[in-house]
Structures are given as structure tokens and as C-alpha cells.
Amino acid sequence: MQNWITRTETGADVPAVREIVLAAFGTPAEADLVDALRADAAWIDGLSVVSVGDDGRPVGHALLTRCHIGDTPALCLAPCAVLPEYQRTGAGSAAIRAALAAARERGERFVTVLGHPDYYPRFGFTRASAHGIGLSIEVPDEALMVLALHDDALPSGTIRYAAPFGI
């Protein structure tokens, strides 16, 4: 497995990030979401992270934006994407770990993710419903997960995402 270099997204990376997200998801919905989040108050500079190859080209991306669990500020991990030819190389995991570390360093406390239940527990995510955390829409229970970045007790409540998510 390659040792990936990670760094905060720069303005010059915006087209590459869009390319990564388009290629990974196959439809423009998630790439359009990233663009909409960039223009939203939920955007937090420094929490959009890319994994780059030896040539400096971004191949993976992870994004954390502001959400709330009840009235408690938290972060939402979404979307995460890797160019198809680099999937299963650790590029995505490296970007996620770097984004979570950046959030921890900033004093952020909680992160939510709606994703694959076999993938995200490797980063410490656990089932949100076990902590009294839910969504206002129906999703598979095992897919909604949460992580405390420090030793804080997780709050309970309904997750409220940024407006561009449409939830």
C-alpha cells in the first residue's frame, strides 16, 4: 500500500476535486454538492483534504462540513471519493484520517457519517442509534454512524445537515 501525502485543498485543487468526485460517483450530484457546500456557511476552511500522488496530483478527497446533533455543533463527513484507478490503495483512508486529525486539532468534538457500515468503523465510527442519534429521513440504521474526536460523551438528538444536503 502506498504512503499517501495528504494536504488541505487549495483553490487550484477545485477542478481536480470535482473530477475525483464525478469519477467516483458517476453522476454529478455529489460533485455539485461539494460545489454548493463551498459556498455555504457550513464550509470550514482546512477541512477539505486531498490525497496526492508522487506527482502532486490529487487522487482522493474527504470533506468535513458543519452539521448539528440536536443543538450541538458537529461535523459531517461527506462526500469521500477516490479516482477509480486509485481505489483500494489507501488514498481515501489517508484523506479521511487527515481530515479527522485536522478537525481534532481545531477542537471539533463530533463527526457523523452516512456510509458503508463495513468501512467507517475502521476510523472509530459507531452506530449512531446506539447513542440516541438519528435523522429526519429513513436510512439503514447501520449506515448512520458517529465518532467522538475526544473523550466527550456523544450528544443525542437529530442530525441537521447543511442546506445543500437537502435533508
Side-chain angles (χ1 to χ4, degrees):
M1 191 167 339
Q2 181 167 341
N3 238 355
W4 290 99
I5 298 166
T6 57
R7 60 174 172 74
T8 300
E9 169 192 305
T10 67
D13 294 324
V14 171
V17 168
R18 184 166 177 84
E19 174 191 334
I20 292 165
V21 179
L22 280 170
F25 287 98
T27 72
E30 285 82 3
D32 292 346
L33 172 62
V34 173
D35 291 341
L37 286 166
R38 270 194 197 93
D40 192 84
W43 185 267
I44 301 170
D45 286 335
L47 295 185
S48 179
V49 174
V50 293
S51 298
V52 298
D54 294 334
D55 60 0
R57 174 180 169 234
V59 301
H61 176 247
L63 178 62
L64 291 167
T65 54
R66 176 68 63 218
C67 70
H68 290 80
I69 302 171
D71 291 329
T72 303
L75 297 172
C76 168
L77 175 59
C80 299
V82 176
L83 288 173
E85 62 268 32
Y86 292 96
Q87 290 175 0
R88 293 177 175 68
T89 66
S93 291
I96 291 168
R97 287 186 207 292
L100 293 174
R104 192 175 287 113
E105 288 168 17
R106 296 172 83 92
E108 295 289 343
R109 297 169 53 211
F110 310 110
V111 181
T112 66
V113 68
L114 181 58
H116 201 285
D118 293 334
Y119 183 73
Y120 291 97
R122 73 182 68 180
F123 305 103
F125 285 92
T126 59
R127 194 176 292 212
S129 62
H131 305 283
I133 299 170
L135 274 178
S136 60
I137 60 169
E138 283 293 315
V139 298
D141 185 59
E142 66 277 4
L144 184 63
M145 293 167 270
V146 66
L147 169 69
L149 292 173
H150 304 280
D151 291 332
D152 298 326
L154 288 158
S156 60
T158 301
I159 299 170
R160 291 182 292 116
Y161 291 111
F165 282 98
I167 297 175

